[in-house]
Amino acid sequence: MKKIQMVDLKSQYEKIKEVVDASIQEVLDTNTYINGPKVHEFQKSLEEYLDVKHVIPCANGTDALQIAMMGLDLKPGDEVITADFTFAATVEVIALLQLTPVLVDVDMYNMNISIDGIRKAITPKTKAIVPVHLFGRAANMEAIMAIAKEHNLYVIEDNAQAIGANCKFSDGTKKKAGTIGHVGATSFFPSKNLGCYGDGGAIFTNDDALAHKLRGIVNHGMYERYHHDVVGVNSRLDSIQAAVLNAKLPLLDQYGKARQDAARKYSAAFEGHKNIIAPSICDICDCHVFHQYTLRIIDADRNGLMQHLLDKGIPCAIYYPIPLHSQKAYTDARYNEEDFPVTNQLVTEVLSLPMHTELDDEQIAFITSSVLEYLQ
C-alpha cells in the first residue's frame, strides 16, 4: 500500500506534471514574474468558473480577507460577527484593522456559523458578518443574506476551504460559495482544494466600484504608477503560482468529485456506529467539497483514537483544538462559556482523517478498519 498522506500533493503533481511544468516554464522564459500574463489568464478563467464579475488575485488568503474589509471602509470599533469555531485568520484580520470581533457559536449539524447566533449578536455597532464555509461545506447563505439585508450589513465570505462548492437557494437556483456576499475571499495554500505551490489568494465581488478599490489596495493603492489614490498594501499573486493554478483550475470539479467519492466510502464504513458521527453527504452532493473529512467521536476516547491512528502510520488532525474565544489573543470579558456550547463540545469530539484527490480504496479500507478496530 502506498504511504498515506494527510494531503498527497506529490501524487497529484505527478498526474499533471507536464502541464504544470510547461506553464511554469512560460513564466521563466518571459521573465514576467509579477502581474504577468499568467496572472491575468488565471483571473479571467476563475471569473468564468465562479460566474462572478471580478476576481482580484492577491498574495494569500489572510490578505484576501483583510483587503476585502479595507475595501468596505469599516471603521475602528465597528463590530464584525464571525464564527468561534474556525482558524484564527478570520478573526485575526478583524483585530488587525482595529475592528471589534464578535464571536458566535456554530451549528452542530454543519459546524458553520449559527443563524440564531448571528441574530442574537447584532447591535447598533454591527457592520458586517463573516461566514466561514468550514471544511468545504457551504454555510446557509440564504439566511445570512436575509439577515444582512434586514439590518443593512455587509457579508464577507471566508471561502478558503470551499472553493467549488455550491449554495442552493429555496427557489432552486445555485451560486458558487464565495460569490454570494458583498465580497468573498479565498486561499490557494498548497493543501486547499485549489492550491498552488506556495502562497496565494483571491477576492471575489460583483460590485464594480468595490472591485476597482480592491485592485488599488492590493498594489500599494496605485492605479497609475507612483500615484497612490488609496491606502494600500503589497499583496500580489506571483506569476509562477498563477501558472500552477492555471493548470489545476480545469480539474477543480474533478478534484471535488474525487473528494466526495472518498467521503462516501468513509461514511459507508462508519454508518450506524454508536461512537461516530460522520459528515452527511447526499447522492448528488455539491454543497460540500470536503476540504476536510471531519468525524465527531462521541462517548469514546478521541485522543486515544488519534494516537492509535498515528501509531499505525495514518495521519490525522484536530481542527480545531481551542475555540477562538479561549485563545489568549482574543479573550474578551464580553464572552461567557455558556454562549458557546456547540463549539466547546466540538473541540473535544472532532477528528479529521486524510482527505485528498489521490486516496485509493486500499488506503480508505485501511484507515476505516483502523478506526473501527479502536472503537470496537
Side-chain angles (χ1 to χ4, degrees), residues 54-65:
H54 304 284
V55 167
I56 300 93
C58 63
N60 57 70
T62 306
D63 279 4
L65 282 168

Side-chain angles (χ1 to χ4, degrees), residues 58-132:
C58 63
N60 57 70
T62 306
D63 279 4
L65 282 168
Q66 179 175 324
I67 293 161
M69 293 182 196
M70 291 172 69
L72 295 173
D73 289 328
L74 300 177
K75 307 298 183 186
D78 286 348
E79 292 180 354
V80 180
I81 296 171
T82 195
D84 186 41
F85 185 61
T86 186
F87 184 61
T90 313
V91 69
E92 181 177 66
V93 296
I94 298 171
L96 281 170
L97 294 173
Q98 298 185 340
L99 308 171
T100 301
V102 178
L103 298 171
V104 302
D105 208 1
V106 296
D107 181 273
M108 182 66 81
Y109 169 72
N110 59 27
M111 304 188 199
N112 282 317
I113 192 166
S114 164
I115 302 304
D116 287 341
I118 293 173
R119 289 192 178 278
K120 292 175 182 176
I122 293 172
T123 75
K125 293 183 178 180
T126 306
K127 293 296 185 292
I129 306 167
V130 185
V132 181

Side-chain angles (χ1 to χ4, degrees), residues 324-371:
L324 291 178
H325 78 269
S326 298
Q327 296 284 357
K328 183 177 179 180
Y330 305 113
T331 53
D332 194 295
R334 294 173 295 138
Y335 301 140
N336 299 304
E337 288 302 317
E338 55 266 29
D339 296 331
F340 305 100
V342 176
T343 296
N344 287 337
Q345 181 175 340
L346 289 175
V347 298
T348 69
E349 296 178 344
V350 292
L351 183 66
S352 295
L353 301 181
M355 174 52 73
H356 53 81
T357 59
E358 310 307 308
L359 278 172
D360 60 39
D361 288 351
E362 184 181 17
Q363 291 175 317
I364 292 172
F366 180 67
I367 295 165
T368 56
S369 65
S370 297
V371 171

Side-chain angles (χ1 to χ4, degrees), residues 35 38-40 42-44 46-47 54-60 64 67 188 200-204 214-215 218-219 235-238 242 245:
N35 282 338
K38 288 295 181 184
V39 177
H40 300 296
F42 174 66
Q43 173 192 324
K44 294 299 182 184
L46 189 56
E47 286 170 349
H54 304 284
V55 167
I56 300 93
C58 63
N60 57 70
I67 293 161
F188 302 125
I203 311 156
F204 320 135
L214 295 173
R215 288 198 173 96
V218 301
N219 191 32
S235 184
R236 296 169 296 201
L237 179 69
D238 75 70
L245 292 166

